[in-house]
Amino acid sequence: MLEGKIAVVTGASRGIGRAIALEMARQNAFVIVNYYGSLEKAKQVKEQILKEGGQAEIMQCNVADFKQCELFFKQIVKEYGKIDILVNNAGITKDDLLLKMSEEAFDSVIELNLKGTFQCMKFVARTMMKQRFGRIINLSSVSGVAGNIGQTNYAASKAGVIGLTKSAARELASRNITVNAVAPGFIHTDMTACLSQRVKEDAEQKIPLNRFGSPKDVADAVVFLASDRASYITGQVLHVDGGMVM
Ligand code: NAP
């Protein structure tokens, strides 16, 4: 489905990003597996892809850092000549109630989830415009659509990602570049592993399909949006949340 495509997946060392990288490689894309702190895990993702007969390389970049992002995308274009697909997946949570939330918790979540997405799109846009082709998929969240207690920082960042997505979709459409967002609900990853049993059970009750999703559930939606089957879809938010938000 993605033969000949160069795909960059940010935060692909673990969780949803890892699943996206694996699925894209299974669909024959060459995948750049971005990581920040988890070098060993990124290596394992690459090894898994190679074992399955796919193609991948790992590249470190702190997506929250403007200058590093610029160099990261320059380096990829220099080495591979193009970038067809960008998945802005890298993200963090630093949950706290509004009254207790520190400035650092607010700023760091916005810096990576929102500004990181902005700068990756900015630094890939010129390349995709020249190619007259591009697929950008941004990871939002149900929290960004419906809000969530203890997540004013995260929900603001993920709501912002939807605004970025729709604006960029309008700006880039004439060059055959689509920009969409995926809004997962509760997905089994390190990010949700720290939730207490009580919170998990409460959450499951709010999900019509009555279970947490898997990273592959999200990866399948992302691969679809990156494929030719989604070539007339842009500026949309695809919910992968078991029906949580309708
Ligand atoms: P995760 O398991 O915590 O993994 C986070 C990934 O982001 C890791 O690969 C990590 O890489 C990377 N990362 C963190 N800081 C980075 C930085 N500064 N630069 C580059 N990469 C960085 O998270 P996840 O659950 O897979 O979430 C992936 C995305 O889906 C996030 O945007 C998240 O907000 C969104 N999402 C998740 C859920 C859920 O239920 N899990 C729900 C809705 C939305 P290193 O370890 O190498 O640093």
Side-chain angles (χ1 to χ4, degrees):
M1 212 185 256
L2 304 176
E3 285 84 6
K5 301 282 193 278
I6 303 285
V8 180
V9 185
T10 69
S13 51
R14 297 186 281 118
I16 293 171
R18 174 182 181 278
I20 294 169
L22 291 175
E23 280 310 309
M24 290 211 160
R26 284 174 192 142
Q27 298 302 326
N28 298 320
F30 185 107
V31 183
I32 312 290
V33 175
N34 162 250
Y35 68 99
Y36 180 37
S38 306
L39 170 62
E40 283 312 312
K41 294 203 165 148
K43 281 184 184 167
Q44 286 165 17
V45 176
K46 179 183 167 183
E47 276 163 25
Q48 177 74 27
I49 289 174
L50 299 187
K51 209 167 87 186
E52 293 181 14
Q55 293 177 285
E57 197 44 84
I58 62 168
M59 279 180 80
Q60 189 188 33
C61 175
N62 175 5
V63 166
D65 185 300
F66 190 82
K67 201 71 208 161
Q68 278 192 40
C69 274
E70 185 174 20
L71 294 173
F72 175 65
F73 287 102
K74 272 194 182 150
Q75 185 66 23
I76 295 169
V77 174
K78 201 172 145 200
E79 282 183 34
Y80 301 97
K82 62 172 188 163
I83 301 171
D84 301 293
I85 300 162
L86 167 66
V87 184
N88 284 307
N89 166 81
I92 51 166
T93 50
K94 285 196 183 171
D95 296 354
D96 218 336
L97 294 171
L98 176 62
L99 286 179
K100 295 204 287 181
M101 185 164 297
S102 67
E103 186 180 9
E104 190 280 329
F106 190 86
D107 288 349
S108 57
V109 167
I110 297 290
E111 287 269 309
L112 176 62
N113 299 7
L114 182 59
K115 191 169 149 269
T117 301
F118 151 72
Q119 55 213 20
C120 288
M121 289 204 297
K122 174 180 167 66
F123 293 126
V124 90
R126 197 180 302 280
T127 302
M128 288 183 172
M129 284 167 88
K130 279 194 203 147
Q131 293 166 184
R132 295 280 195 278
F133 181 86
R135 296 275 181 271
I136 299 174
I137 299 110
N138 297 326
L139 269 290
S140 179
S141 164
V142 288
S143 294
V145 179
N148 196 19
I149 291 169
Q151 291 199 315
T152 48
N153 53 354
Y154 183 76
S157 74
K158 294 298 184 179
V161 164
I162 293 174
L164 283 180
T165 300
K166 293 184 178 182
S167 303
R170 289 184 188 279
E171 283 189 27
L172 303 176
S174 65
R175 309 298 171 99
N176 192 30
I177 300 165
T178 65
V179 189
N180 291 289
V182 169
F186 284 93
I187 308 296
H188 283 299
T189 68
D190 293 346
M191 193 177 267
T192 49
C194 56
L195 299 175
S196 70
Q197 196 53 33
R198 193 183 58 80
V199 171
K200 283 183 190 165
E201 280 164 15
D202 281 356
E204 270 169 7
Q205 280 183 356
K206 291 185 192 133
I207 303 170
L209 286 177
N210 220 260
R211 62 173 175 87
F212 277 31
S214 70
K216 185 171 179 303
D217 288 327
V218 182
D220 286 340
V222 172
V223 168
F224 164 68
L225 289 171
S227 77
D228 287 344
R229 294 183 185 183
S231 55
Y232 199 55
I233 300 174
T234 196
Q236 302 305 305
V237 182
L238 178 53
H239 288 239
V240 184
D241 63 3
M244 242 182 116
V245 174
M246 306 188 186

